[in-house]
Amino acid sequence: MTRPTPETLTEACEYLAAQDAAFARVHQALGVPDWRYGAPDYAVIARMIAFQQITTKAASAIWGRVEEAVGDVCTSAILAADEETLRGCGLSRPKIRHLRSIAEAVETGALDLDRVHAAEMEAARKELIAVKGIGPWTADLFLLYCGRLDAWPSGDVGLMESYKMLHGLEARHDTKAFDQLAESWRPYRGVAAHLLWNWINTERAKAYAANGGG
């Protein structure tokens, strides 16, 4: 898979707009979303692990220190780095264990990212989540970054919050209900995710600017 073309994304947005008027509003206001594309390699997964459950600002600082400490983030670099070095970058012990577990799986061939990249989505997802340290959300996000138009990061709070905002709801859907709703967006759930991310990020930027940047 490669980065989706603007033509493909436009077709997907028009399809989604016909399914839900909220997507029509986003598409009209913001156009075709920029795709969060990343090469299907270990560094992409490692970065996802590093960014989990902390603020983007904090995660960016930690990731920068990791890159400074080990150079190019690859399996051999992470396996060669001692725990003290990685802890000094700000990584928690569980995240270090996950990074090493995934690196070992890639090194031994238990996880073949080229095979994952070429496989049908369900087979690719199954191979990813079989590795200790890669949960369903990380697997789905990785596949989304690789260009899978229907990959869906279930449980992503940002997506649920964005949809709530667009529809003026008092509360977010829970994960199960939101996943059921997203079924109607197949085969473009990944495009729906990008539209929702674009919307909430734009609204947050407006609020930040309105508050004087503070």
Side-chain angles (χ1 to χ4, degrees):
M1 301 296 293
T2 57
R3 185 193 301 270
T5 65
E7 293 77 16
T8 297
L9 291 174
T10 296
E11 179 181 339
C13 288
E14 290 172 351
Y15 174 87
L16 292 166
Q19 306 302 312
D20 191 317
F23 291 126
R25 289 167 52 203
V26 177
H27 185 214
Q28 183 176 13
L30 303 178
V32 172
D34 291 330
W35 194 268
R36 299 183 177 187
Y37 182 78
D41 57 24
Y42 172 77
V44 171
I45 300 180
R47 189 176 187 276
M48 290 177 186
I49 299 296
F51 273 63
Q52 286 177 4
Q53 299 178 329
I54 55 177
T55 66
T56 300
K57 183 177 181 179
S60 295
I62 290 170
W63 187 248
R65 290 193 290 269
V66 171
E67 291 181 315
E68 185 177 350
V70 306
D72 291 335
V73 179
C74 60
T75 55
S76 58
I78 292 298
L79 291 174
D82 58 50
E83 182 166 335
E84 183 178 347
T85 296
L86 296 176
R87 285 281 292 156
C89 295
L91 291 169
S92 66
R93 287 190 174 87
K95 287 186 178 181
I96 293 170
R97 288 197 297 270
H98 292 161
L99 291 175
R100 286 180 168 167
S101 172
I102 298 164
E104 288 169 357
V106 172
E107 289 280 311
T108 63
L111 175 60
D112 185 326
L113 293 176
D114 289 333
R115 181 172 61 223
V116 166
H117 189 53
E120 293 296 326
M121 192 162 70
E122 288 308 312
R125 190 175 187 272
K126 183 176 180 181
E127 180 166 349
L128 287 164
I129 62 177
V131 177
K132 185 177 181 181
I134 302 180
W137 183 85
T138 302
D140 291 330
L141 196 63
F142 178 74
L143 294 172
L144 189 66
Y145 274 39
C146 290
R148 307 275 181 151
L149 295 177
D150 199 42
W152 178 247
S154 177
D156 190 285
V157 175
L159 297 180
M160 292 186 280
E161 179 65 18
S162 182
Y163 193 82
K164 184 199 83 171
M165 291 167 58
L166 275 165
H167 283 273
L169 303 174
E170 292 185 2
R172 296 193 296 258
H173 288 73
D174 61 29
T175 297
K176 183 177 180 180
F178 199 53
D179 286 348
Q180 290 174 342
L181 176 65
E183 286 294 312
S184 65
W185 305 334
R186 287 182 181 271
Y188 297 122
R189 291 179 301 169
V191 182
H194 278 81
L195 286 169
L196 292 170
W197 276 325
N198 272 20
W199 176 261
I200 194 168
N201 288 338
T202 299
E203 293 302 298
R204 285 172 173 169
K206 288 179 182 176
Y208 182 79
N211 290 327

